[in-house]
Amino acid sequence: MPGTGVIAIVGSGLAGFTAYQTLRRKLEPEQIAVFGTDDDPAATFRRHAAAIRQREMRSESDGHCLPTSFPGLAFRSALARKSPAPLAGSLLDRYHPTVDEFLAHVERLRNRSGWDRSLRRASIERVRAVDGGFELDGEGAFRHVLLATGHPGLNVPDELHEDPRAVHAYEPHDYAATVTVVGAGLAAATEWLNALAAGSEVVSVRQREPVRQPLNVPREYFSRRGLESFHRLGPAERCARLRALLAPSYPPGRRWDEPIARAMMENRFRVEESVNGTAQIVCATGFRRGFRHDPVLARLVDDHGLETADGWIVLDGGGAIPALSDATRTLSLAGVAAQWAFPAADTLAGARYVAHRFLRRVVSCPTP
């Protein structure tokens, strides 16, 4: 078992927080240093959810920050409501916790897990491999480091940067009488409904038709068999598969289809190929993609000559960087940066996947 001060998590968002809960199965808060700028691990999610008026999570019962999938949020909801309905919905893949339920869950875990005792309010800018582990802006060396730096900024199409009508979906906004929504994923679909409910006329501009699926990647890629098949792909094939898997999508169902069908009949919703003359443009275009947009990861790649492929840092099947990890130390990526190892790495299930494999390396490492 590692000694005090050898484990570090860089990033205090939900990916880092979920990893922390997993590490707490074996470690005390004083053995884990979490570097981040937000005390509240849900701060960024809270802002984004409020901006798009999100009420339900796309994730299902296991979309939580606990170390194991069961018991999930459906089980806890059933206990709180004294009703089996959430469990029945979970069995049919129809249970989706509310945003408020999820945020309350995060707050309970924060209070009982020792998170605030581990947190160090600092923004790490550089990670360097040194004798004995890794140095974080002069702090360290930490023998095992998990980088959970989050999404590298909001993505706004170049042609809309200077357009005064444009706002990103994840920034606070209301709706004009006429609204163009750029994008085709879950945020875009949510904004279609929000603007229609506000009485707006809505134009959807997208490069492709969205995929209709319950989760952000197909369920098979959450399973061992699906991942084994994915991990056998060569670099070029894996890049192509990731691009296909990460195409814009939102869930099927009447909740989405009926309001849009009704609005089309009323001539209040249409699809166009390019931005037109509406009063407002909402960029539901997600986040920038690729390690080059993350200063910490970009410096890490340049400083150590790491292998990359089409914007992803090449990882082993558990999310560790092979060139910088061995029997004595570990450097792993979590969150969206770990998609090379787990296509749905930017989900809570993905954060758990990487955290468990990181913990295995930590506990198997010889005590110095």
Side-chain angles (χ1 to χ4, degrees):
M1 187 59 61
T4 300
V6 299
I7 312 297
I9 297 173
V10 177
S12 59
L14 286 175
F17 182 71
T18 303
Y20 179 84
Q21 303 307 318
T22 300
L23 295 178
R24 284 285 285 111
R25 302 184 80 186
K26 299 288 185 180
L27 306 173
E28 295 301 317
E30 291 73 20
Q31 294 177 284
I32 310 168
V34 179
F35 294 88
T37 55
D38 282 315
D39 295 345
D40 175 9
T44 299
F45 169 79
R46 192 188 302 272
R47 291 193 297 271
H48 292 169
I52 64 170
R53 284 77 165 169
Q54 183 178 347
R55 296 177 180 84
E56 288 186 349
M57 305 293 288
R58 185 175 189 175
S59 58
E60 296 166 349
S61 180
D62 65 350
H64 56 72
C65 303
L66 290 163
T68 57
S69 294
F70 184 85
L73 295 183
F75 181 80
R76 288 168 170 78
S77 180
L79 290 179
R81 301 179 193 179
K82 297 180 179 179
S83 166
L87 289 173
S90 181
L91 290 173
L92 299 171
D93 296 326
R94 294 178 180 174
Y95 171 78
H96 298 276
T98 68
V99 167
D100 287 343
E101 286 174 326
F102 174 73
L103 291 174
H105 154 74
V106 171
E107 189 62 23
R108 286 193 301 270
L109 278 184
R110 176 186 171 186
N111 290 335
R112 79 184 195 200
S113 66
W115 172 257
D116 290 347
R117 287 155 56 193
S118 296
L119 185 64
R120 303 185 186 184
R121 289 292 298 272
S123 177
I124 299 300
E125 296 183 1
R126 191 173 227 122
V127 178
R128 292 193 311 115
V130 296
D131 289 342
F134 304 94
E135 188 177 77
L136 312 178
D137 285 353
E139 300 230 24
F142 293 92
R143 294 184 70 198
H144 305 281
V145 176
L146 181 69
L147 301 182
T149 53
H151 288 280
L154 302 178
N155 178 45
V156 176
D158 291 341
E159 64 272 19
L160 297 177
H161 270 293
E162 304 300 326
D163 196 317
R165 300 172 296 163
V167 62
H168 198 281
Y170 288 142
E171 296 173 328
H173 61 281
D174 290 316
Y175 302 96
T178 57
V179 179
T180 292
V181 178
V182 181
L186 180 61
T190 302
E191 288 289 67
W192 300 336
L193 300 195
N194 288 341
L196 289 172
S200 305
E201 177 184 314
V202 178
V203 178
S204 170
V205 171
R206 59 237 203 179
Q207 295 180 342
R208 68 185 85 179
E209 284 302 302
V211 178
R212 304 297 298 275
Q213 59 189 21
L215 304 176
N216 63 341
V217 301
R219 293 183 191 278
E220 66 185 276
Y221 291 95
F222 289 84
S223 70
R224 178 178 297 180
R225 179 178 294 181
L227 283 175
E228 287 175 349
S229 175
F230 176 73
H231 290 157
R232 285 195 295 268
L233 297 174
E237 293 176 296
R238 195 179 303 199
C239 289
R241 183 69 54 85
L242 280 170
R243 287 193 295 270
L245 291 176
L246 300 176
S249 69
Y250 68 97
R254 295 167 56 188
R255 172 193 170 191
W256 308 94
D257 296 340
E258 290 185 354
I260 292 172
R262 186 164 54 249
M264 291 181 73
M265 292 178 63
E266 297 168 351
N267 293 319
R268 294 179 52 229
F269 183 91
R270 65 184 185 275
V271 177
E272 294 190 0
E273 294 183 355
S274 59
V275 173
N276 52 32
T278 58
Q280 183 184 37
I281 303 168
V282 176
C283 300
T285 40
F287 304 93
R288 294 175 178 174
R289 286 191 178 182
F291 71 87
R292 280 292 167 201
H293 295 292
D294 186 312
V296 173
L297 298 183
R299 291 190 189 103
L300 181 70
V301 168
D302 292 341
D303 288 349
H304 299 90
L306 299 181
E307 182 182 0
T308 65
D310 197 21
W312 286 282
I313 297 175
V314 173
L315 308 174
D316 69 16
I321 299 176
L324 299 178
S325 303
D326 55 31
T328 65
R329 67 181 186 180
T330 308
L331 183 62
S332 292
L333 304 187
V336 66
Q339 289 171 330
W340 191 261
F342 193 94
D346 61 336
T347 66
L348 298 171
R352 277 199 302 276
Y353 171 88
V354 170
H356 278 286
R357 282 143 188 86
F358 180 76
L359 181 58
R360 287 177 196 168
R361 297 183 66 105
V362 169
V363 299
S364 66
C365 182
T367 302

